[in-house]
C-alpha cells in the first residue's frame, strides 16, 4: 500500500488529509481492501492493463465521498473507473459504496492527482471528471487551483481523440478561471451552444453531497469539452 500523503516528503497537500476518526468498518476496508484495489506504487499507470476487459476507462479527480464515482461505476459496469482523492475519509466512504454495490470496476488512489497524472500512459482515457474542486477563493491562492496549464496539458495527453472532460463548480471565479485556461487551447472543443448547456445539470450527472450543500456563490456550472 502506498504511503499516505502526509508521509510523503515530496508531497505538499493544500488542506487537510483526514477528518474525524474512521468507523471500524471503514478502517477495515482501508487496511485490507484498499491495497487490493489501489494503483501501482511506482512506474506507469496503464488503465488498459488495469481494466483489460472494459469497454472504456474513466478518471475522476477529487471524488470527495465517492457518490458520483460509485454511481457512475454502478450504472456502467463495463467501464473501468479510477478515482483519486487525498482525503482519507473520502476514500473510506467511497470504499463503503464499492463494497455495498459490489463494484469490481473501480480502482482508488489516496493521494494528489498532480503526482499521479504524469505516470499515466498516453491517450488511454475516454473521460475525465473534475467535479467541484477546491476553488481557493483568494487571489494569492489561485496558483493552488487544480486547473493550471500543466494539468490542462495532462488532460490533453491522457484523453483519447473524442474523449470528454467535464469540470463542474459552484464558484463563479473558478468557472471564469477554467474558461480562461481552455479558451484558446485548440486541443479542446467547447460543447455548450446555449446557456442551458452549462446551467442545467447534464442528463448523466449524479449529484454529490457537497453539491447539495450549496456552499458556492453561484448555481453549479457544468463545463464540457471534447479532446479534438
Amino acid at each position: 500500500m502506498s504511503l499516505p500523503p502526509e508521509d510523503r516528503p515530496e508531497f505538499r497537500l493544500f488542506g487537510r488529509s483526514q477528518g474525524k476518526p474512521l468507523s471500524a468498518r471503514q478502517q477495515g476496508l482501508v487496511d485490507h481492501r484498499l491495497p487490493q484495489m489501489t494503483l501501482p506504487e511506482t512506474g506507469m499507470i496503464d488503465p488498459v492493463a488495469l481494466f483489460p476487459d472494459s469497454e472504456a476507462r474513466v478518471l475522476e479527480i477529487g471524488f470527495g465521498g465517492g457518490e458520483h464515482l460509485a454511481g457512475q461505476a454502478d450504472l456502467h459496469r463495463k467501464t473501468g473507473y479510477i478515482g483519486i482523492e487525498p482525503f482519507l475519509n473520502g476514500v473510506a466512504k467511497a470504499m463503503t459504496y464499492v463494497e455495498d454495490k459490489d463494484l469490481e470496476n473501480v480502482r482508488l488512489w489516496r493521494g494528489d492527482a498532480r503526482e499521479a497524472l504524469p505516470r499515466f500512459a498516453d491517450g488511454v482515457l475516454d473521460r475525465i471528471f473534475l467535479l467541484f474542486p477546491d476553488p481557493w477563493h483568494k487571489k494569492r491562492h489561485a496558483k493552488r487551483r487544480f486547473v493550471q496549464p500543466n494539468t490542462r496539458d495532462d488532460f490533453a495527453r491522457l484523453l483519447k481523440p473524442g474523449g470528454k472532460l467535464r469540470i463542474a463548480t459552484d464558484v463563479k471565479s473558478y468557472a471564469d478561471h477554467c474558461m480562461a485556461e481552455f479558451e484558446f487551447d485548440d486541443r479542446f472543443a467547447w460543447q455548450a451552444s446555449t446557456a442551458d448547456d452549462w446551467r442545467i445539470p447534464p442528463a448523466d450527472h449524479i449529484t454529490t453531497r457537497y453539491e447539495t450543500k450549496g456552499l458556492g456563490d453561484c448555481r453549479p456550472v457544468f463545463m464540457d469539452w471534447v479532446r479534438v
Side-chain angles (χ1 to χ4, degrees):
M1 182 179 178
S2 63
L3 289 173
E6 64 271 17
D7 291 338
R8 298 181 211 163
E10 76 283 7
F11 184 98
R12 185 183 181 192
L13 176 66
F14 298 114
R16 300 182 302 159
S17 63
Q18 184 173 356
K20 63 183 181 180
L22 303 182
S23 69
R25 180 194 180 196
Q26 290 175 336
Q27 190 64 59
L29 289 171
V30 169
D31 291 341
H32 303 295
R33 182 77 185 278
L34 183 58
Q36 301 171 7
M37 58 182 299
T38 192
L39 302 180
E41 177 68 25
T42 60
M44 180 183 293
I45 299 171
D46 184 359
V48 176
L50 291 172
F51 302 104
D53 299 322
S54 294
E55 297 176 350
R57 288 90 186 173
V58 175
L59 171 66
E60 181 167 345
I61 298 169
F63 57 76
E67 300 94 346
H68 180 272
L69 177 68
Q72 293 286 355
D74 189 25
L75 289 173
H76 308 287
R77 291 185 176 248
K78 292 184 179 181
T79 296
Y81 286 84
I82 297 173
I84 301 177
E85 169 64 47
F87 195 51
L88 177 61
N89 298 69
V91 173
K93 182 64 176 176
M95 295 192 70
T96 64
Y97 291 129
V98 168
E99 184 176 72
D100 291 345
K101 296 176 182 292
D102 193 26
L103 300 175
E104 299 292 337
N105 57 331
V106 175
R107 300 291 183 271
L108 301 178
W109 173 263
R110 185 196 171 201
D112 188 336
R114 296 169 300 177
E115 278 190 320
L117 293 187
R119 296 173 51 209
F120 274 71
D122 293 354
V124 291
L125 295 176
D126 296 270
R127 196 160 195 182
I128 297 174
F129 290 103
L130 177 64
L131 305 180
F132 303 97
D134 195 322
W136 294 107
H137 297 275
K138 296 181 180 179
K139 185 175 181 180
R140 69 176 185 272
H141 291 157
K143 62 184 179 182
R144 300 181 181 181
R145 291 173 173 170
F146 191 86
V147 175
Q148 302 290 345
N150 62 326
T151 50
R152 189 182 74 229
D153 288 342
D154 282 327
F155 295 157
R157 181 179 64 84
L158 299 180
L159 284 169
K160 299 176 180 179
K164 299 177 180 179
L165 168 66
R166 174 173 297 160
I167 303 176
T169 182
D170 57 359
V171 175
K172 184 180 183 301
S173 62
Y174 204 116
D176 292 342
H177 171 85
C178 291
M179 292 302 297
E181 283 290 341
F182 284 89
E183 183 177 8
F184 300 108
D185 192 327
D186 59 9
R187 297 171 296 182
F188 295 91
W190 173 241
Q191 295 301 286
S193 56
T194 70
D196 281 351
D197 290 334
W198 49 266
R199 288 176 177 169
I200 297 175
D204 63 349
H205 178 62
I206 295 174
T207 303
T208 68
R209 286 185 301 167
Y210 174 86
E211 183 182 348
T212 61
K213 293 179 180 179
L215 300 177
D217 59 8
C218 69
R219 294 175 60 185
V221 175
F222 298 88
M223 298 168 282
D224 284 354
W225 289 270
V226 167
R227 178 69 167 94
V228 176

